[in-house]
Amino acid sequence: MWFDPVCPWAWIGSRWLLEVERVRAVHTRFHVFSLAIHNDGRDVDDWYRTWLDQRWGPARVMLAAERAHGNDVLRDLYTAIGTRIHHAKAPIDRELSVAALAEVGLPTELADAADSTELDADLLAGNRAALDPIAEDLGVPAIHLPGQDGTVNAFFGPVVSPVPRGEAAGKLWDGILLLSETDGFFEFKRGRTRRPITT
C-alpha cells in the first residue's frame, strides 16, 4: 500500500489493512507517496494548494527513515505519525516528526529531512511506482495485489469511512480480491456522503 502520511483516506485504508491482517492471511507492505509532489504544478483549489504546501515534511521524513533503516520501519513510524496527525490533530511540524521517531526508536535527526529536497526525486519515483500500474493518475490510497498469473492487480482505494473492523474488514478484502481478479473490471464508484472518520 502507498500512502501519504497526511491523507485521511490513506490513513483509513491503512488501518483497514491492519484489521484485514487480523482475520485473513495477509501481510501489508507500506510505501511512501507524496501528495505534495503529486499535485505540484497542477491546477487545484487554493485551499488545497495551501494545505499541501504545509505538508511536504512527513512524507520526506518517512522516506528518509526507510532509506536509512529499511522498509519495515514504515509500518510503526506511519502509525506513530498518523496517530498524531489524524487522532490527536497535532500540528504538522518538526516536533511531530521528532516525537514519532523517538516513539519507534529511530534517530530524531531524521526529522531534518522535512525541510530538505534531497529525496524529492525518490518520492516522485515512488509516486510513479504506485500509479503506473493503475494506469490513471489518481493518488492514494493505492494498493497493489499479486495476480494469479504473476502480474500485479493495482487500484486506487478503497475509499471508505469509517475503518471496517474485524470480519467486516475481511469481507471487504474478499470483495476487493474478487473484483481485482476479474478480467476487464475497471471501476465501481458512488458519490461520497461523509467526510473521513479517522478514529
Side-chain angles (χ1 to χ4, degrees), residues 6-196:
V6 303
C7 175
W9 298 108
W11 174 252
I12 294 168
S14 73
R15 301 309 96 178
W16 162 68
L17 283 171
L18 294 179
E19 285 287 315
V20 172
E21 290 184 354
R22 298 174 54 205
V23 296
R24 299 291 187 271
V26 170
H27 178 74
T28 306
R29 289 189 65 212
F30 291 101
H31 303 278
V32 182
F33 189 96
S34 171
L35 285 171
I37 285 180
H38 179 66
N39 288 288
D40 194 31
R42 293 175 188 246
D43 184 21
V44 297
D45 290 339
D46 289 343
W47 72 266
Y48 190 58
R49 171 70 53 217
T50 301
W51 186 85
L52 286 172
D53 287 347
Q54 298 168 354
R55 286 161 172 80
W56 284 82
R60 287 170 168 165
V61 171
M62 297 286 294
L63 188 59
E66 181 184 20
R67 291 290 186 267
H69 299 278
N71 177 264
D72 289 346
V73 304
L74 290 182
R75 174 180 290 250
D76 290 342
L77 183 56
Y78 182 23
T79 295
I81 286 180
T83 299
R84 286 168 170 79
I85 293 172
H86 301 292
H87 292 197
K89 308 300 182 192
I92 298 175
D93 56 17
R94 179 181 173 79
E95 287 71 28
L96 178 142
S97 295
V98 167
L101 290 161
E103 178 182 323
V104 299
L106 291 172
T108 57
E109 59 265 23
L110 287 167
D112 295 343
D115 298 316
S116 170
T117 61
E118 183 178 344
L119 293 175
D120 286 1
D122 292 341
L123 283 171
L124 178 59
N127 284 13
R128 294 280 30 107
L131 298 182
D132 283 351
I134 295 172
E136 279 199 54
D137 216 16
L138 296 171
V140 289
I143 297 178
H144 294 191
L145 299 167
Q148 293 179 346
D149 58 358
T151 60
V152 172
N153 291 322
F155 57 90
F156 167 76
V159 175
V160 60
S161 180
V163 179
R165 303 286 182 187
E167 186 56 24
K171 287 181 178 179
L172 178 57
W173 174 259
D174 296 340
I176 286 172
L177 279 182
L178 178 64
L179 293 174
S180 72
E181 292 170 357
T182 301
D183 183 47
F185 176 79
F186 298 111
E187 190 169 358
F188 184 60
K189 186 171 182 175
R190 63 182 169 186
R192 297 180 197 173
T193 59
R194 65 179 67 150
R195 297 178 60 80

